[in-house]
Amino acid sequence: MSDNRVIGIDGGLPWRLPADLAFFFRQIEDCYLLSGRKSYESDQGKEIFQDKSFVVVTRQKGYEPQGGKVAHSVEAGIAIAEADGAKRLCILGGGEIYRQALSIADKLIITEVHTRIENGDTFFPDIDPQHWKEYKRESHKKDEDNPYDFSFVFYIKIE
Ligand SMILES: NC(=O)c1ccc[n+]([C@@H]2O[C@H](COP(=O)([O-])OP(=O)(O)OC[C@H]3O[C@@H](n4cnc5c(N)ncnc54)[C@H](OP(=O)(O)O)[C@@H]3O)[C@@H](O)[C@H]2O)c1
């Protein structure tokens, strides 16, 4: 997310940040994936879900994600992942799904992209410091491939 919490514009990502993409793929390596239908259908979706076990959350009846399962709520998606034997579930967003999943998650892995995006339309919800503790932060400077400074930030839930 950007400094003003933007995560999306017009159905896509607000930036091209290859270092973040590489970090993201490392984080989801051993994950069963859960995604909102809109993020699943976005351009970046195609590469992400290839060869992964995943569940897409939608209200549509008869929706059939190719190679994945479908659920009609976040909770039902988690139950499907558990029934499939998932050891680790990564919830990939987007904004609508993050808002519903924040109270369920036990860990947050956030890339802070240090810029303001003024025309964003999708946002990451507030992270309440009463419930979340930052325990690791790796900061990086922009370079010729990555146009903004960015930080990888890890939070653990405190009850
Ligand atoms: N920067 C990042 O890390 C990041 C990550 C992911 C996504 N994004 C961006 O975020 C944007 C997409 O996010 P979004 O908030 O618009 O959409 P989203 O969360 O990806 O998907 C929303 C859809 O999920 C389904 N849904 C949500 N809650 C549900 C529930 N309780 N029960 C059943 N179905 C439910 C509905 O699908 P139906 O309409 O089919 O019923 C809804 O339209 C894109 O711009 C994407 O690029 C950014």
Side-chain angles (χ1 to χ4, degrees):
M1 64 168 153
S2 68
D3 288 338
N4 56 333
R5 313 195 82 77
V6 172
I7 62 167
I9 300 175
D10 291 338
L13 292 178
W15 42 72
R16 199 190 152 274
L17 214 56
D20 175 50
L21 215 51
F23 173 76
F24 170 78
F25 278 107
R26 284 199 301 282
Q27 300 310 309
I28 66 165
E29 227 164 46
D30 61 347
C31 280
Y32 196 109
L33 306 178
L34 183 150
S35 173
R37 194 267 308 163
K38 290 185 182 170
S39 297
Y40 171 69
E41 289 184 359
S42 69
D43 280 347
Q44 66 266 27
K46 310 203 170 35
E47 198 186 346
I48 294 169
F49 296 95
Q50 227 172 23
D51 305 324
K52 302 289 277 188
S53 298
F54 66 93
V55 57
V56 176
V57 179
T58 176
R59 295 186 181 90
Q60 299 171 44
K61 305 292 172 216
Y63 189 83
E64 286 183 17
Q66 208 188 347
K69 298 198 169 170
V70 69
H72 299 298
S73 69
V74 173
E75 290 81 358
I78 293 171
I80 287 171
E82 280 176 344
D84 279 351
K87 303 238 177 327
R88 183 167 188 249
L89 179 70
C90 288
I91 295 180
L92 302 187
E96 213 181 305
I97 294 297
Y98 285 143
R99 277 198 299 280
Q100 298 172 63
L102 205 59
S103 61
I104 302 171
D106 50 25
K107 189 173 176 180
L108 303 178
I109 306 174
I110 308 267
T111 301
E112 291 178 358
V113 180
H114 296 303
T115 185
R116 287 185 65 85
I117 305 284
E118 300 301 347
N119 55 341
D121 56 30
T122 314
F123 297 84
F124 196 83
D126 283 338
I127 300 170
D128 182 346
Q130 287 207 315
H131 295 301
W132 293 100
K133 178 180 163 51
E134 179 183 322
Y135 69 93
K136 189 161 75 167
R137 171 177 288 266
E138 297 170 12
S139 295
H140 300 269
K141 289 283 174 207
K142 66 181 171 191
D143 58 29
E144 55 192 20
D145 297 322
N146 299 281
Y148 308 110
D149 293 353
F150 55 97
S151 304
F152 301 136
V153 188
F154 299 75
Y155 294 85
I156 190 106
K157 182 164 276 164
I158 42 178
E159 297 304 336

